[in-house]
Amino acid sequence: VVIPTIEQHIGHVVAVGSGKGGVGKSSLVVKLAQSLRDNGFAVGILDADLTAPDIPLMLGVTRHEPARSINVWRAPGRQKAIAPVDLQGIRVMSLQFMMSERQAMAIDGHLQRMLLSQLWTGVTWGELDYLLIDLPPGTGTVQQAVLDVMPVAAALVVVTPQDVAHLDARKLVTFLGERDVPILGGVENMSEVSCPNCADTFRLFPPVSPERTIWADGVGQLASLPFDVSAFNTTADQRQPSALDNGLADVTAALTSALPSR
Ligand SMILES: Nc1ncnc2c1ncn2[C@@H]1O[C@H](COP(=O)(O)OP(=O)(O)OP(=O)(O)O)[C@@H](O)[C@H]1O
Ligand SMILES: [Mg+2]
């Protein structure tokens, strides 16, 4: 773990991961951060998805100005402090702030490690109760570097109720176990959908054999979030109550009781 020289006091660092992509990690991170904020906690998001940093856009911000260069390393003691961007009362840091939406960066494992170290140690996170880390899917070099560089206290695992989502998530569960990272629990996302035009509720995917799920590996299911046809407009300030709220309250409660803030 790399100790920041810049002033920061972070209660708990919590990583949100999945095996498969597109299951709703970043959406959950944003919703969970909003929920923690609404419960009076100081919360930040570190966007560790270096090749697809979606968090800023999900909080209503993007960048069109192309970057001419990006600093990946500064000698110890010569670091320039980067302030996190306050979005909706959440302190956010993302590679997306450093380049335009259309720019891509070819990043190998070493560069990933340098960039992640900088997002962690070079940022004036200040006093936070919780710092949520939005991971890319899988168990690759980014996930390994995050665990090497940051003091991750616990992880949340996101799945959709699909065989492949569980198949891949079980690898993440094994990986976290090998790295001694406690798993707070799993969140099943897009479990069902309520028809907006009738009273029907139906499942989106065919059922998964229980013995093939992460629940069979002992991961506790914290919540089952429905597919929300209306409420994923996270940029809206005046939010309507959504189908996700009950499940999110359960995830928030599980997190804050397992990792109480000072
Ligand atoms: N419960 C939900 N209801 C409706 N839409 C959802 C829900 N969860 C996620 N989505 C939508 O599904 C898409 C994928 O979600 P998201 O980007 O959060 O997944 P991800 O796991 O972070 O993906 P990646 O692996 O690419 O980082 C987004 O467009 C998001 O708005
Ligand atoms: Mg994502």
Side-chain angles (χ1 to χ4, degrees):
V1 167
V2 184
I3 313 288
T5 46
I6 286 168
E7 188 85 349
Q8 50 177 256
H9 303 278
I10 295 172
H12 305 284
V13 178
V14 178
V16 178
S18 73
K20 219 175 87 62
V23 295
K25 291 176 295 300
S26 304
S27 308
L28 177 70
V29 164
V30 166
K31 292 276 175 187
L32 191 55
Q34 291 168 333
S35 164
L36 288 164
R37 173 204 63 196
D38 293 345
N39 280 279
F41 297 108
V43 51
I45 300 177
L46 191 158
D47 186 354
D49 197 336
L50 302 175
T51 48
D54 295 336
I55 294 292
L57 187 68
M58 286 185 174
L59 284 163
V61 169
T62 190
R63 170 172 163 161
H64 297 293
E65 171 72 21
R68 274 171 294 174
S69 64
I70 289 186
N71 241 311
V72 292
W73 187 81
R74 284 180 201 277
R78 300 192 67 90
Q79 272 183 335
K80 270 200 189 153
I82 313 170
V85 180
D86 188 302
L87 299 174
Q88 304 178 15
I90 299 160
R91 273 171 251 170
V92 181
M93 188 41 67
S94 170
L95 207 55
Q96 186 58 75
F97 295 142
M98 303 177 198
M99 60 174 81
S100 87
E101 220 178 37
R102 299 290 306 275
Q103 282 182 309
M105 200 174 171
I107 315 177
D108 72 2
H110 298 289
L111 202 49
Q112 285 168 351
R113 212 162 266 265
M114 287 172 130
L115 287 166
L116 288 167
S117 293
Q118 212 176 43
L119 295 183
W120 165 239
T121 62
V123 174
T124 52
W125 289 107
E127 296 225 357
L128 287 179
D129 296 305
Y130 300 99
L131 178 65
L132 305 181
I133 304 196
D134 185 30
L135 293 173
T139 56
T141 46
V142 167
Q143 292 80 1
Q144 291 165 34
V146 163
L147 296 188
D148 290 344
V149 168
M150 302 167 205
V152 176
L156 287 168
V157 177
V158 184
V159 287
T160 48
Q162 294 176 283
D163 191 63
V164 281
H166 281 275
L167 179 71
D168 299 350
R170 291 177 88 174
K171 289 191 189 297
L172 178 65
V173 170
T174 304
F175 167 77
L176 293 169
E178 285 168 354
R179 297 292 305 254
D180 293 324
V181 178
I183 299 177
L184 281 175
V187 176
E188 184 188 71
N189 188 28
M190 309 188 196
S191 50
E192 55 179 33
V193 62
S194 293
C195 169
N197 304 317
C198 63
D200 262 8
T201 295
F202 48 91
R203 295 190 64 83
L204 280 164
F205 307 110
V208 185
S209 302
E211 74 279 4
R212 291 178 58 79
T213 63
I214 56 169
W215 324 127
D217 287 352
V219 177
Q221 186 171 336
L222 303 180
S224 178
L225 305 179
F227 189 88
D228 192 351
V229 285
S230 63
F232 258 80
N233 182 8
T234 51
T235 57
D237 277 344
Q238 277 141 4
R239 229 169 52 81
Q240 304 296 314
S242 96
L244 300 174
D245 286 350
N246 288 336
L248 278 163
D250 291 341
V251 182
T252 308
L255 190 150
T256 54
S257 68
L259 302 170
S261 95
R262 297 147 285 154

